[in-house]
Amino acid sequence: MLSGKTALVTGSTSGIGMAIANRLAREGCNIVLNGFGDEAAIEAERAGLAKEFGVKVGYSGADLTNPDAIVDMMGYVARDFGGADILVNNAGVQYVAPIEDFPVAKWDLIIALNLTAAFHTTRLALPGMKEKGWGRILNTGSAHAKVASPFKSAYVTAKHGLAGLTKVTALEGAKHGVRCNLICPGYVHTPLVDGQIADTAKARGMTREQVIEDVILEAQPTKEFVTVEQIAGFAAFLCSPDADQINGAELSIDGGWTAE
Ligand code: NAD
């Protein structure tokens, strides 16, 4: 379906991003991976995708909190892949603490990575997309782009900001064949959430199972995690012609969390 297109997926060495990269490769996209992790594991992911789907797969280890590194990464995508036709702004981290105790460095990190990095990749990808008359930008939001939870000030602020960036990008790209949407997952059992489960279990003296049932899935009416494959399938749909009129939308995939 997307044969010949190139997708840059940030934060694709783990979790949701890795599943999106895999699914877009399955659809025929060339892929540029990004994120941190074990060098050998990343190379295995890169080579594995290329072999399984017969597409070109590259990797940038850019630290997206550094705007200069983002410029370098986008230069690499332009030079080696002819630019990103699909940009998935997905890299993100979480930190949980009351506002009065929230470490300033953690606030700066989360705003830089979860919000500002998407501005930089978008500003650098848009000219090429406009020139080609086609582009898809998918921002990984969260239920926390729509509603808040206590102790997640930086994350909720960044995700609400990303909702704003999504809408502006959608308006500016609309006449140029560019679409931009925000995917808003509920809880997905990735390393990011696993860290929260462990921290909460320790802080509240609960078992992992109790945290999953009584704290995490308490928010989700279906009482089930969203899977990374479901988000990846949704992302592929948003790149398909059936989704051509979906633009600037905040799309929940959260088991009904934000319906409450
Ligand atoms: P994850 O921890 O599994 O993956 C995060 C990815 O970001 C990794 O590839 C990591 O290497 C990369 N990364 C971290 N810091 C980076 C940096 N400075 N520069 C470049 N890459 C960096 O997490 P995940 O759960 O897959 O989360 C992916 C996205 O989904 C995030 O934006 C997160 O906020 C969002 N999200 C997650 C959930 C959930 O329940 N897991 C729910 C809603 C939204």
Side-chain angles (χ1 to χ4, degrees):
M1 177 180 84
L2 296 169
S3 184
K5 306 279 191 213
T6 291
L8 166 62
V9 186
T10 71
S12 47
T13 55
S14 173
I16 294 169
M18 184 187 270
I20 292 176
N22 189 293
R23 179 59 193 258
L24 292 179
R26 184 180 297 275
E27 300 292 340
C29 279
N30 297 321
I31 302 288
V32 180
L33 301 168
N34 157 260
F36 300 154
D38 174 69
E39 212 175 296
I42 293 170
E43 175 51 23
E45 182 192 358
R46 192 203 65 72
L49 285 180
K51 189 168 175 216
E52 185 174 359
F53 302 113
V55 295
K56 181 174 168 182
V57 185
Y59 166 69
S60 160
D63 177 346
L64 302 185
T65 63
N66 174 355
D68 292 338
I70 298 178
V71 171
D72 289 349
M73 175 177 75
M74 299 308 283
Y76 160 62
V77 179
R79 268 191 322 277
D80 283 33
F81 289 81
D85 305 292
I86 297 169
L87 168 64
V88 185
N89 289 309
N90 169 77
V93 290
Q94 173 65 287
Y95 191 81
V96 181
I99 292 175
E100 59 270 37
D101 300 331
F102 210 91
V104 172
K106 289 287 184 194
W107 171 277
D108 289 343
L109 166 71
I110 290 174
I111 299 299
L113 179 62
N114 297 18
L115 177 57
T116 307
F119 161 69
H120 288 298
T121 53
T122 299
R123 75 180 173 81
L124 294 163
L126 262 180
M129 290 178 175
K130 286 183 175 176
E131 208 177 296
K132 292 178 190 166
W134 195 93
R136 294 290 176 270
I137 300 176
L138 305 179
N139 293 326
T140 306
S142 164
H144 285 120
K146 297 183 169 189
V147 296
S149 296
F151 314 130
K152 296 184 177 175
S153 53
Y155 189 86
V156 169
T157 302
K159 295 297 186 184
H160 276 66
L162 199 54
L165 177 65
T166 301
K167 291 175 197 167
V168 175
T169 308
L171 296 181
E172 293 188 18
K175 284 189 187 147
H176 304 275
V178 179
R179 304 288 176 262
C180 181
N181 289 292
L182 188 72
I183 298 177
C184 298
Y187 280 112
V188 193
H189 203 159
T190 65
L192 182 143
V193 164
D194 218 47
Q196 277 186 67
I197 293 170
D199 291 349
T200 308
K202 207 169 143 195
R204 300 200 194 177
M206 298 166 88
T207 65
R208 287 177 57 85
E209 290 67 32
Q210 283 171 328
V211 172
I212 289 172
E213 253 179 54
D214 301 343
V215 182
I216 301 274
L217 293 182
E218 176 59 20
Q220 233 147 261
T222 54
K223 303 298 173 208
E224 288 171 1
F225 282 104
V226 183
T227 69
V228 293
E229 291 79 14
Q230 287 162 348
I231 297 174
F234 195 35
F237 165 71
L238 289 172
C239 295
S240 76
D242 284 342
D244 274 356
Q245 292 307 317
I246 303 179
N247 195 29
E250 299 168 32
L251 301 160
S252 291
I253 174 165
D254 66 3
W257 174 349
T258 50
E260 287 195 299

